Amino acid sequence: MPILEAQNMKKHFDGIPAVDGLSFEVEKETITALVGPNGAGKTTFFNIITGFLEPDSGEAFFYSNGSKRDISRLSAHKVARLGIARTFQNIRLFSQMTVLDNLMLASNSRKHENLSAALFSKSHVSRAERENLDRANHYLEFVGLTGKIDSLAENLSHGQRKLVSLARAFCLEPDLLLLDEPTAGVFPETREKIGGLLEKMREMGKTILFIEHDMHFVVDIADKIIVMNAGKKLREGKPEEVIDDPAVIEAYLGKELP
Ligand SMILES: Nc1ncnc2c1ncn2[C@@H]1O[C@H](COP(=O)(O)OP(=O)(O)OP(=O)(O)O)[C@@H](O)[C@H]1O
Ligand SMILES: [Mg+2]
């Protein structure tokens, strides 16, 4: 069963294709890795799916609650409410805010939350706030950062900020998570920890599509790899089928995979 289906997605910048006819499916309750050299179009694809960019052409469908929805031209806000959360390559926490406040902010765009009810009913506000607080605590514990709840984001290490950005995405309780290089620049032990968290999310019925450059990590946790090059899908398949493929190695400048 797919949860996400991209069909012939295209996006140009100043006449130069960044995503150039990309089609693929992501199966429900799996971990799929999107890999490819720098500039392949991976982040641009995420930006299209999550409503940060409009595609020039093509469609993206999201399957949830038995219905199929074209999400390719929805706003970021609407996409989040449907149950798709993302993280950013450059983290994007509010550095002058505490970890808790960063997480509480995310909860406000959660799916199913009825904003007008929240605005017009005081009891609803406090109940919603209480639930947001519980969720923030829960996911902070999940990523092992309970002790940092009152720290300013700017005082965290890089690895801790990566973990908070994951917790923030988890707080949205999405069905589908798009993670843009969740382990970039972290120490090996944090990478292992993040791998464990993603596997737990999959066990909890979540679907994960993540961008990653560390091929050892990808092979360890991904059910499927999609390789992009120059805006196109080069290969897809099980990790062991993909990593020794000569076309894939060639795309990585003919060197051994990173
Ligand atoms: N907003 C933009 N304006 C102009 N060009 C852009 C913009 N965003 C991306 N590009 C270009 O589109 C291409 C794809 O970029 P993208 O960031 O999607 O690649 P990527 O696969 O995520 O690379 P990396 O692994 O380095 O993060 C690049 O050539 C990039 O310079
Ligand atoms: Mg990128």
Side-chain angles (χ1 to χ4, degrees):
M1 267 283 283
I3 189 167
L4 180 72
E5 188 184 338
Q7 284 181 359
N8 206 16
M9 303 289 285
K10 291 189 182 174
K11 181 73 188 176
H12 291 67
F13 295 110
D14 304 323
I16 300 165
V19 174
D20 196 11
L22 188 63
S23 304
F24 65 79
E25 288 183 5
V26 175
E27 290 292 305
K28 265 199 173 105
E29 294 179 32
T30 61
I31 299 179
T32 301
L34 185 60
V35 309
N38 295 118
K42 306 178 297 293
T43 297
T44 303
F45 176 74
F46 269 26
N47 285 341
I48 295 169
I49 296 298
T50 52
F52 286 78
L53 279 176
E54 243 190 57
D56 299 336
S57 59
E59 274 79 44
F61 299 100
F62 180 57
Y63 295 79
S64 94
N65 302 324
S67 69
K68 173 180 181 178
R69 219 175 144 161
D70 185 349
I71 56 162
S72 50
R73 285 157 187 86
L74 295 183
S75 66
H77 190 64
K78 285 201 177 128
V79 172
R81 283 191 175 228
L82 285 176
I84 302 177
R86 73 171 294 179
T87 62
F88 296 90
Q89 194 165 351
N90 56 359
I91 307 188
R92 297 201 194 184
L93 293 179
F94 293 97
S95 57
Q96 304 279 333
M97 286 170 61
T98 65
V99 166
L100 178 63
D101 287 343
N102 270 283
L103 298 190
M104 295 288 276
L105 264 185
S107 291
N108 291 333
S109 50
R110 252 182 101 240
K111 65 174 173 168
H112 310 316
E113 210 127 277
N114 183 332
L115 191 63
S116 59
L119 286 174
F120 295 117
S121 151
K122 268 197 169 154
S123 65
H124 185 98
V125 172
S126 54
R127 193 172 67 241
E129 286 282 299
R130 163 56 52 191
E131 285 171 6
N132 286 347
L133 187 61
D134 288 349
R135 228 179 347 261
N137 275 303
H138 174 76
Y139 286 108
L140 210 52
E141 190 182 343
F142 184 65
V143 304
L145 283 182
T146 300
K148 296 289 176 189
I149 193 160
D150 293 322
S151 301
L152 291 182
E154 68 180 0
N155 292 335
L156 301 179
S157 69
H158 173 74
Q160 288 167 339
R161 276 188 274 131
K162 282 285 197 194
L163 287 165
V164 171
S165 71
L166 277 178
R168 182 171 62 175
F170 297 159
C171 277
L172 295 165
E173 306 207 304
D175 297 319
L176 174 63
L177 285 142
L178 303 190
L179 310 176
D180 198 343
E181 304 198 17
T183 74
V186 305
F187 289 117
E189 63 182 48
T190 306
R191 175 168 294 136
E192 288 246 319
K193 179 174 170 175
I194 291 172
L197 294 175
L198 301 190
E199 284 170 334
K200 273 190 205 146
M201 293 303 279
R202 176 179 56 190
E203 277 166 33
M204 289 156 62
K206 309 294 182 189
T207 306
I208 293 159
L209 176 64
F210 77 113
I211 298 171
E212 180 64 56
H213 285 290
D214 183 325
M215 292 304 280
H216 299 290
F217 182 72
V218 166
V219 169
D220 267 358
I221 75 157
D223 300 300
K224 185 170 108 173
I225 300 182
I226 295 162
V227 186
M228 274 185 85
N229 190 32
K232 294 178 163 52
K233 182 174 72 185
L234 185 65
R235 286 288 184 277
E236 72 181 298
K238 296 203 172 92
E240 60 274 19
E241 296 166 356
V242 165
I243 53 160
D244 292 331
D245 190 304
V248 174
I249 294 166
E250 171 78 29
Y252 280 94
L253 304 172
K255 290 182 191 147
E256 230 179 272
L257 289 177

